[in-house]
mmCIF file of all heavy atoms in Angstrom:
data_model
loop_
_atom_site.group_PDB
_atom_site.id
_atom_site.type_symbol
_atom_site.label_atom_id
_atom_site.label_comp_id
_atom_site.label_asym_id
_atom_site.label_seq_id
_atom_site.Cartn_x
_atom_site.Cartn_y
_atom_site.Cartn_z
ATOM 1 N N ALA A 39 -116.430 -11.265 -46.271
ATOM 2 C CA ALA A 39 -116.267 -11.870 -47.617
ATOM 3 C C ALA A 39 -114.784 -12.044 -47.921
ATOM 4 O O ALA A 39 -113.980 -11.106 -47.659
ATOM 5 C CB ALA A 39 -116.960 -10.980 -48.650
ATOM 6 N N LYS A 40 -114.451 -13.178 -48.455
ATOM 7 C CA LYS A 40 -113.083 -13.429 -48.924
ATOM 8 C C LYS A 40 -112.052 -13.400 -47.838
ATOM 9 O O LYS A 40 -110.874 -13.240 -48.132
ATOM 10 C CB LYS A 40 -112.681 -12.491 -50.051
ATOM 11 C CG LYS A 40 -113.620 -12.549 -51.256
ATOM 12 C CD LYS A 40 -113.108 -11.716 -52.366
ATOM 13 C CE LYS A 40 -114.120 -11.552 -53.496
ATOM 14 N NZ LYS A 40 -114.550 -12.782 -54.120
ATOM 15 N N LYS A 41 -112.431 -13.535 -46.582
ATOM 16 C CA LYS A 41 -111.504 -13.562 -45.433
ATOM 17 C C LYS A 41 -111.802 -14.766 -44.584
ATOM 18 O O LYS A 41 -112.953 -15.197 -44.510
ATOM 19 C CB LYS A 41 -111.594 -12.316 -44.609
ATOM 20 C CG LYS A 41 -111.002 -11.048 -45.223
ATOM 21 C CD LYS A 41 -111.047 -9.946 -44.159
ATOM 22 C CE LYS A 41 -110.371 -8.723 -44.599
ATOM 23 N NZ LYS A 41 -110.378 -7.657 -43.603
ATOM 24 N N PRO A 42 -110.816 -15.300 -43.893
ATOM 25 C CA PRO A 42 -111.103 -16.419 -42.972
ATOM 26 C C PRO A 42 -111.920 -15.916 -41.767
ATOM 27 O O PRO A 42 -111.957 -14.716 -41.471
ATOM 28 C CB PRO A 42 -109.737 -16.876 -42.515
ATOM 29 C CG PRO A 42 -108.813 -15.753 -42.823
ATOM 30 C CD PRO A 42 -109.386 -14.948 -43.939
ATOM 31 N N LEU A 43 -112.530 -16.888 -41.118
ATOM 32 C CA LEU A 43 -113.230 -16.609 -39.873
ATOM 33 C C LEU A 43 -112.257 -15.966 -38.875
ATOM 34 O O LEU A 43 -111.172 -16.516 -38.617
ATOM 35 C CB LEU A 43 -113.797 -17.877 -39.292
ATOM 36 C CG LEU A 43 -115.135 -18.376 -39.833
ATOM 37 C CD1 LEU A 43 -115.380 -19.804 -39.413
ATOM 38 C CD2 LEU A 43 -116.293 -17.490 -39.344
ATOM 39 N N GLU A 44 -112.659 -14.856 -38.267
ATOM 40 C CA GLU A 44 -111.796 -14.188 -37.300
ATOM 41 C C GLU A 44 -112.370 -14.347 -35.886
ATOM 42 O O GLU A 44 -113.485 -13.859 -35.630
ATOM 43 C CB GLU A 44 -111.743 -12.696 -37.604
ATOM 44 C CG GLU A 44 -111.112 -12.318 -38.968
ATOM 45 C CD GLU A 44 -111.229 -10.844 -39.205
ATOM 46 O OE1 GLU A 44 -110.776 -10.055 -38.334
ATOM 47 O OE2 GLU A 44 -111.758 -10.453 -40.275
ATOM 48 N N LEU A 45 -111.632 -15.012 -35.017
ATOM 49 C CA LEU A 45 -112.014 -15.095 -33.650
ATOM 50 C C LEU A 45 -111.891 -13.739 -32.998
ATOM 51 O O LEU A 45 -110.858 -13.078 -33.136
ATOM 52 C CB LEU A 45 -111.127 -16.109 -32.917
ATOM 53 C CG LEU A 45 -111.375 -16.276 -31.417
ATOM 54 C CD1 LEU A 45 -112.722 -16.878 -31.176
ATOM 55 C CD2 LEU A 45 -110.278 -17.168 -30.812
ATOM 56 N N MET A 46 -112.924 -13.345 -32.269
ATOM 57 C CA MET A 46 -112.892 -12.054 -31.587
ATOM 58 C C MET A 46 -112.673 -12.258 -30.061
ATOM 59 O O MET A 46 -111.740 -11.727 -29.501
ATOM 60 C CB MET A 46 -114.154 -11.277 -31.854
ATOM 61 C CG MET A 46 -114.380 -10.941 -33.337
ATOM 62 S SD MET A 46 -115.993 -10.154 -33.587
ATOM 63 C CE MET A 46 -115.616 -8.474 -32.956
ATOM 64 N N PHE A 47 -113.629 -12.967 -29.482
ATOM 65 C CA PHE A 47 -113.605 -13.142 -28.013
ATOM 66 C C PHE A 47 -113.985 -14.574 -27.666
ATOM 67 O O PHE A 47 -114.775 -15.211 -28.343
ATOM 68 C CB PHE A 47 -114.623 -12.210 -27.336
ATOM 69 C CG PHE A 47 -114.415 -10.768 -27.614
ATOM 70 C CD1 PHE A 47 -115.189 -10.079 -28.525
ATOM 71 C CD2 PHE A 47 -113.384 -10.070 -26.951
ATOM 72 C CE1 PHE A 47 -114.986 -8.730 -28.785
ATOM 73 C CE2 PHE A 47 -113.152 -8.707 -27.213
ATOM 74 C CZ PHE A 47 -113.980 -8.037 -28.123
ATOM 75 N N VAL A 48 -113.415 -15.035 -26.507
ATOM 76 C CA VAL A 48 -113.718 -16.358 -25.971
ATOM 77 C C VAL A 48 -114.125 -16.188 -24.524
ATOM 78 O O VAL A 48 -113.440 -15.458 -23.751
ATOM 79 C CB VAL A 48 -112.517 -17.279 -26.053
ATOM 80 C CG1 VAL A 48 -112.850 -18.668 -25.459
ATOM 81 C CG2 VAL A 48 -112.032 -17.457 -27.490
ATOM 82 N N TYR A 49 -115.185 -16.822 -24.136
ATOM 83 C CA TYR A 49 -115.616 -16.873 -22.738
ATOM 84 C C TYR A 49 -115.747 -18.303 -22.264
ATOM 85 O O TYR A 49 -116.378 -19.105 -22.956
ATOM 86 C CB TYR A 49 -116.982 -16.141 -22.575
ATOM 87 C CG TYR A 49 -116.866 -14.662 -22.466
ATOM 88 C CD1 TYR A 49 -116.772 -13.880 -23.602
ATOM 89 C CD2 TYR A 49 -116.829 -14.028 -21.205
ATOM 90 C CE1 TYR A 49 -116.685 -12.520 -23.511
ATOM 91 C CE2 TYR A 49 -116.746 -12.643 -21.111
ATOM 92 C CZ TYR A 49 -116.642 -11.901 -22.277
ATOM 93 O OH TYR A 49 -116.578 -10.552 -22.186
ATOM 94 N N ASN A 50 -115.086 -18.628 -21.207
ATOM 95 C CA ASN A 50 -115.284 -19.942 -20.509
ATOM 96 C C ASN A 50 -115.887 -19.706 -19.144
ATOM 97 O O ASN A 50 -115.322 -18.927 -18.368
ATOM 98 C CB ASN A 50 -113.909 -20.616 -20.346
ATOM 99 C CG ASN A 50 -113.372 -21.211 -21.629
ATOM 100 O OD1 ASN A 50 -114.071 -21.241 -22.608
ATOM 101 N ND2 ASN A 50 -112.140 -21.569 -21.623
ATOM 102 N N PHE A 51 -116.987 -20.356 -18.874
ATOM 103 C CA PHE A 51 -117.657 -20.182 -17.580
ATOM 104 C C PHE A 51 -117.815 -18.734 -17.236
ATOM 105 O O PHE A 51 -117.510 -18.272 -16.130
ATOM 106 C CB PHE A 51 -116.891 -20.897 -16.460
ATOM 107 C CG PHE A 51 -116.773 -22.388 -16.598
ATOM 108 C CD1 PHE A 51 -115.661 -22.974 -17.133
ATOM 109 C CD2 PHE A 51 -117.872 -23.177 -16.256
ATOM 110 C CE1 PHE A 51 -115.560 -24.344 -17.238
ATOM 111 C CE2 PHE A 51 -117.783 -24.572 -16.369
ATOM 112 C CZ PHE A 51 -116.633 -25.115 -16.892
ATOM 113 N N LYS A 52 -118.254 -17.941 -18.216
ATOM 114 C CA LYS A 52 -118.550 -16.508 -18.069
ATOM 115 C C LYS A 52 -117.274 -15.614 -17.989
ATOM 116 O O LYS A 52 -117.382 -14.397 -17.965
ATOM 117 C CB LYS A 52 -119.391 -16.178 -16.834
ATOM 118 C CG LYS A 52 -120.678 -16.914 -16.681
ATOM 119 C CD LYS A 52 -121.461 -16.403 -15.490
ATOM 120 C CE LYS A 52 -120.697 -16.447 -14.195
ATOM 121 N NZ LYS A 52 -121.424 -15.864 -13.085
ATOM 122 N N GLU A 53 -116.114 -16.185 -17.918
ATOM 123 C CA GLU A 53 -114.935 -15.404 -17.825
ATOM 124 C C GLU A 53 -114.274 -15.237 -19.217
ATOM 125 O O GLU A 53 -114.073 -16.239 -19.927
ATOM 126 C CB GLU A 53 -113.871 -16.052 -16.893
ATOM 127 C CG GLU A 53 -114.390 -16.246 -15.452
ATOM 128 C CD GLU A 53 -114.700 -14.881 -14.793
ATOM 129 O OE1 GLU A 53 -113.947 -13.934 -15.021
ATOM 130 O OE2 GLU A 53 -115.726 -14.825 -14.079
ATOM 131 N N GLN A 54 -113.884 -14.055 -19.535
ATOM 132 C CA GLN A 54 -113.259 -13.811 -20.806
ATOM 133 C C GLN A 54 -111.849 -14.385 -20.783
ATOM 134 O O GLN A 54 -111.019 -13.993 -19.936
ATOM 135 C CB GLN A 54 -113.169 -12.315 -21.167
ATOM 136 C CG GLN A 54 -112.660 -12.063 -22.571
ATOM 137 C CD GLN A 54 -112.539 -10.580 -22.934
ATOM 138 O OE1 GLN A 54 -111.481 -10.128 -23.248
ATOM 139 N NE2 GLN A 54 -113.624 -9.891 -22.851
ATOM 140 N N THR A 55 -111.553 -15.313 -21.690
ATOM 141 C CA THR A 55 -110.237 -15.965 -21.660
ATOM 142 C C THR A 55 -109.383 -15.524 -22.862
ATOM 143 O O THR A 55 -108.237 -15.848 -22.984
ATOM 144 C CB THR A 55 -110.348 -17.462 -21.642
ATOM 145 O OG1 THR A 55 -111.162 -17.859 -22.744
ATOM 146 C CG2 THR A 55 -110.974 -17.927 -20.325
ATOM 147 N N GLU A 56 -110.041 -14.867 -23.817
ATOM 148 C CA GLU A 56 -109.275 -14.430 -24.996
ATOM 149 C C GLU A 56 -109.935 -13.208 -25.622
ATOM 150 O O GLU A 56 -111.130 -13.150 -25.788
ATOM 151 C CB GLU A 56 -109.188 -15.583 -26.045
ATOM 152 C CG GLU A 56 -108.227 -15.273 -27.140
ATOM 153 C CD GLU A 56 -107.719 -16.538 -27.797
ATOM 154 O OE1 GLU A 56 -107.777 -17.608 -27.179
ATOM 155 O OE2 GLU A 56 -107.166 -16.417 -28.908
ATOM 156 N N ASN A 57 -109.083 -12.239 -25.908
ATOM 157 C CA ASN A 57 -109.474 -11.069 -26.709
ATOM 158 C C ASN A 57 -108.455 -11.012 -27.856
ATOM 159 O O ASN A 57 -107.294 -10.741 -27.593
ATOM 160 C CB ASN A 57 -109.415 -9.828 -25.839
ATOM 161 C CG ASN A 57 -109.684 -8.542 -26.632
ATOM 162 O OD1 ASN A 57 -109.497 -8.501 -27.877
ATOM 163 N ND2 ASN A 57 -110.124 -7.508 -25.949
ATOM 164 N N ASN A 58 -108.892 -11.283 -29.044
ATOM 165 C CA ASN A 58 -107.967 -11.455 -30.127
ATOM 166 C C ASN A 58 -107.641 -10.123 -30.805
ATOM 167 O O ASN A 58 -107.883 -9.911 -31.971
ATOM 168 C CB ASN A 58 -108.624 -12.418 -31.168
ATOM 169 C CG ASN A 58 -107.553 -13.111 -31.970
ATOM 170 O OD1 ASN A 58 -106.430 -13.321 -31.528
ATOM 171 N ND2 ASN A 58 -107.875 -13.540 -33.177
ATOM 172 N N SER A 59 -107.109 -9.203 -29.992
ATOM 173 C CA SER A 59 -106.706 -7.855 -30.493
ATOM 174 C C SER A 59 -107.830 -7.116 -31.188
ATOM 175 O O SER A 59 -107.640 -6.530 -32.235
ATOM 176 C CB SER A 59 -105.498 -8.007 -31.452
ATOM 177 O OG SER A 59 -104.417 -8.582 -30.850
ATOM 178 N N VAL A 60 -108.978 -7.180 -30.572
ATOM 179 C CA VAL A 60 -110.173 -6.569 -31.120
ATOM 180 C C VAL A 60 -110.223 -5.085 -30.710
ATOM 181 O O VAL A 60 -109.985 -4.782 -29.549
ATOM 182 C CB VAL A 60 -111.440 -7.278 -30.672
ATOM 183 C CG1 VAL A 60 -112.694 -6.636 -31.271
ATOM 184 C CG2 VAL A 60 -111.366 -8.761 -31.016
ATOM 185 N N PRO A 61 -110.514 -4.190 -31.654
ATOM 186 C CA PRO A 61 -110.617 -2.734 -31.283
ATOM 187 C C PRO A 61 -111.645 -2.498 -30.169
ATOM 188 O O PRO A 61 -112.648 -3.231 -30.068
ATOM 189 C CB PRO A 61 -111.061 -2.057 -32.573
ATOM 190 C CG PRO A 61 -110.693 -3.030 -33.667
ATOM 191 C CD PRO A 61 -110.785 -4.385 -33.070
ATOM 192 N N SER A 62 -111.402 -1.490 -29.371
ATOM 193 C CA SER A 62 -112.250 -1.234 -28.200
ATOM 194 C C SER A 62 -113.631 -0.748 -28.569
ATOM 195 O O SER A 62 -114.528 -0.707 -27.689
ATOM 196 C CB SER A 62 -111.601 -0.177 -27.337
ATOM 197 O OG SER A 62 -111.405 1.017 -28.066
ATOM 198 N N ARG A 63 -113.919 -0.462 -29.835
ATOM 199 C CA ARG A 63 -115.267 -0.142 -30.263
ATOM 200 C C ARG A 63 -116.187 -1.377 -30.211
ATOM 201 O O ARG A 63 -117.412 -1.242 -30.332
ATOM 202 C CB ARG A 63 -115.271 0.531 -31.621
ATOM 203 C CG ARG A 63 -114.686 -0.266 -32.744
ATOM 204 C CD ARG A 63 -114.632 0.549 -34.041
ATOM 205 N NE ARG A 63 -114.156 -0.226 -35.179
ATOM 206 C CZ ARG A 63 -112.838 -0.294 -35.486
ATOM 207 N NH1 ARG A 63 -111.969 0.365 -34.803
ATOM 208 N NH2 ARG A 63 -112.486 -1.015 -36.554
ATOM 209 N N PHE A 64 -115.607 -2.576 -30.025
ATOM 210 C CA PHE A 64 -116.362 -3.761 -29.797
ATOM 211 C C PHE A 64 -116.163 -4.150 -28.328
ATOM 212 O O PHE A 64 -115.029 -4.323 -27.879
ATOM 213 C CB PHE A 64 -115.873 -4.941 -30.647
ATOM 214 C CG PHE A 64 -116.054 -4.700 -32.100
ATOM 215 C CD1 PHE A 64 -115.093 -4.100 -32.872
ATOM 216 C CD2 PHE A 64 -117.232 -5.132 -32.732
ATOM 217 C CE1 PHE A 64 -115.251 -3.906 -34.227
ATOM 218 C CE2 PHE A 64 -117.408 -4.925 -34.109
ATOM 219 C CZ PHE A 64 -116.426 -4.312 -34.849
ATOM 220 N N SER A 65 -117.260 -4.314 -27.573
ATOM 221 C CA SER A 65 -117.163 -4.588 -26.181
ATOM 222 C C SER A 65 -118.090 -5.767 -25.834
ATOM 223 O O SER A 65 -119.285 -5.677 -25.972
ATOM 224 C CB SER A 65 -117.609 -3.348 -25.394
ATOM 225 O OG SER A 65 -117.687 -3.654 -23.979
ATOM 226 N N PRO A 66 -117.472 -6.912 -25.434
ATOM 227 C CA PRO A 66 -118.312 -8.087 -25.103
ATOM 228 C C PRO A 66 -118.794 -8.059 -23.658
ATOM 229 O O PRO A 66 -118.205 -7.419 -22.793
ATOM 230 C CB PRO A 66 -117.322 -9.269 -25.324
ATOM 231 C CG PRO A 66 -115.981 -8.683 -24.951
ATOM 232 C CD PRO A 66 -116.037 -7.238 -25.324
ATOM 233 N N GLU A 67 -119.849 -8.801 -23.473
ATOM 234 C CA GLU A 67 -120.389 -8.974 -22.097
ATOM 235 C C GLU A 67 -120.995 -10.335 -21.972
ATOM 236 O O GLU A 67 -121.764 -10.763 -22.867
ATOM 237 C CB GLU A 67 -121.451 -7.912 -21.808
ATOM 238 C CG GLU A 67 -122.080 -8.028 -20.437
ATOM 239 C CD GLU A 67 -123.318 -7.154 -20.246
ATOM 240 O OE1 GLU A 67 -123.675 -6.411 -21.197
ATOM 241 O OE2 GLU A 67 -123.861 -7.185 -19.147
ATOM 242 N N CYS A 68 -120.680 -11.038 -20.923
ATOM 243 C CA CYS A 68 -121.228 -12.378 -20.692
ATOM 244 C C CYS A 68 -121.741 -12.460 -19.293
ATOM 245 O O CYS A 68 -121.053 -12.792 -18.342
ATOM 246 C CB CYS A 68 -120.103 -13.414 -20.923
ATOM 247 S SG CYS A 68 -120.664 -15.119 -20.924
ATOM 248 N N PRO A 69 -123.044 -12.125 -19.125
ATOM 249 C CA PRO A 69 -123.608 -12.113 -17.766
ATOM 250 C C PRO A 69 -123.817 -13.467 -17.108
ATOM 251 O O PRO A 69 -123.819 -13.583 -15.881
ATOM 252 C CB PRO A 69 -124.990 -11.397 -17.971
ATOM 253 C CG PRO A 69 -125.291 -11.681 -19.397
ATOM 254 C CD PRO A 69 -124.006 -11.707 -20.117
ATOM 255 N N ASN A 70 -123.934 -14.518 -17.913
ATOM 256 C CA ASN A 70 -124.057 -15.865 -17.467
ATOM 257 C C ASN A 70 -123.635 -16.823 -18.589
ATOM 258 O O ASN A 70 -123.404 -16.344 -19.736
ATOM 259 C CB ASN A 70 -125.461 -16.151 -16.946
ATOM 260 C CG ASN A 70 -126.537 -15.889 -17.986
ATOM 261 O OD1 ASN A 70 -126.535 -16.507 -19.058
ATOM 262 N ND2 ASN A 70 -127.433 -14.977 -17.703
ATOM 263 N N SER A 71 -123.595 -18.084 -18.296
ATOM 264 C CA SER A 71 -123.036 -19.024 -19.313
ATOM 265 C C SER A 71 -123.954 -19.233 -20.469
ATOM 266 O O SER A 71 -123.579 -19.891 -21.453
ATOM 267 C CB SER A 71 -122.684 -20.333 -18.640
ATOM 268 O OG SER A 71 -123.809 -20.878 -17.988
ATOM 269 N N SER A 72 -125.152 -18.694 -20.445
ATOM 270 C CA SER A 72 -126.105 -18.867 -21.548
ATOM 271 C C SER A 72 -126.219 -17.664 -22.437
ATOM 272 O O SER A 72 -126.813 -17.760 -23.529
ATOM 273 C CB SER A 72 -127.508 -19.203 -21.007
ATOM 274 O OG SER A 72 -127.474 -20.402 -20.284
ATOM 275 N N HIS A 73 -125.726 -16.518 -22.042
ATOM 276 C CA HIS A 73 -125.933 -15.296 -22.754
ATOM 277 C C HIS A 73 -124.659 -14.562 -23.043
ATOM 278 O O HIS A 73 -123.735 -14.510 -22.185
ATOM 279 C CB HIS A 73 -126.859 -14.339 -21.945
ATOM 280 C CG HIS A 73 -128.251 -14.822 -21.825
ATOM 281 N ND1 HIS A 73 -128.644 -15.668 -20.812
ATOM 282 C CD2 HIS A 73 -129.351 -14.571 -22.569
ATOM 283 C CE1 HIS A 73 -129.934 -15.948 -20.966
ATOM 284 N NE2 HIS A 73 -130.377 -15.266 -21.994
ATOM 285 N N LEU A 74 -124.567 -14.055 -24.247
ATOM 286 C CA LEU A 74 -123.388 -13.312 -24.648
ATOM 287 C C LEU A 74 -123.840 -12.093 -25.456
ATOM 288 O O LEU A 74 -124.691 -12.218 -26.310
ATOM 289 C CB LEU A 74 -122.474 -14.199 -25.496
ATOM 290 C CG LEU A 74 -121.110 -13.680 -25.940
ATOM 291 C CD1 LEU A 74 -120.218 -13.420 -24.730
ATOM 292 C CD2 LEU A 74 -120.436 -14.669 -26.907
ATOM 293 N N PHE A 75 -123.217 -10.958 -25.186
ATOM 294 C CA PHE A 75 -123.554 -9.729 -25.884
ATOM 295 C C PHE A 75 -122.322 -9.170 -26.579
ATOM 296 O O PHE A 75 -121.182 -9.413 -26.121
ATOM 297 C CB PHE A 75 -124.145 -8.687 -24.991
ATOM 298 C CG PHE A 75 -125.452 -9.051 -24.353
ATOM 299 C CD1 PHE A 75 -125.479 -9.723 -23.133
ATOM 300 C CD2 PHE A 75 -126.655 -8.692 -24.953
ATOM 301 C CE1 PHE A 75 -126.711 -10.099 -22.579
ATOM 302 C CE2 PHE A 75 -127.877 -9.059 -24.363
ATOM 303 C CZ PHE A 75 -127.895 -9.789 -23.166
ATOM 304 N N LEU A 76 -122.535 -8.436 -27.652
ATOM 305 C CA LEU A 76 -121.442 -7.676 -28.255
ATOM 306 C C LEU A 76 -121.962 -6.272 -28.404
ATOM 307 O O LEU A 76 -122.855 -6.022 -29.224
ATOM 308 C CB LEU A 76 -121.069 -8.291 -29.598
ATOM 309 C CG LEU A 76 -119.814 -7.703 -30.242
ATOM 310 C CD1 LEU A 76 -118.588 -7.920 -29.395
ATOM 311 C CD2 LEU A 76 -119.591 -8.295 -31.627
#
Side-chain angles (χ1 to χ4, degrees):
Chain A
K40 302 185 192 301
K41 285 188 174 181
L43 277 166
E44 298 175 52
L45 176 67
M46 300 176 74
F47 301 104
V48 180
Y49 278 83
N50 286 349
F51 295 101
K52 306 186 304 177
E53 301 297 321
Q54 187 182 121
T55 56
E56 190 156 342
N57 175 337
N58 205 27
S59 303
V60 180
S62 59
R63 57 186 184 270
F64 295 92
S65 173
E67 179 190 0
C68 189
N70 55 61
S71 56
S72 298
H73 293 85
L74 185 64
F75 296 89
L76 188 63

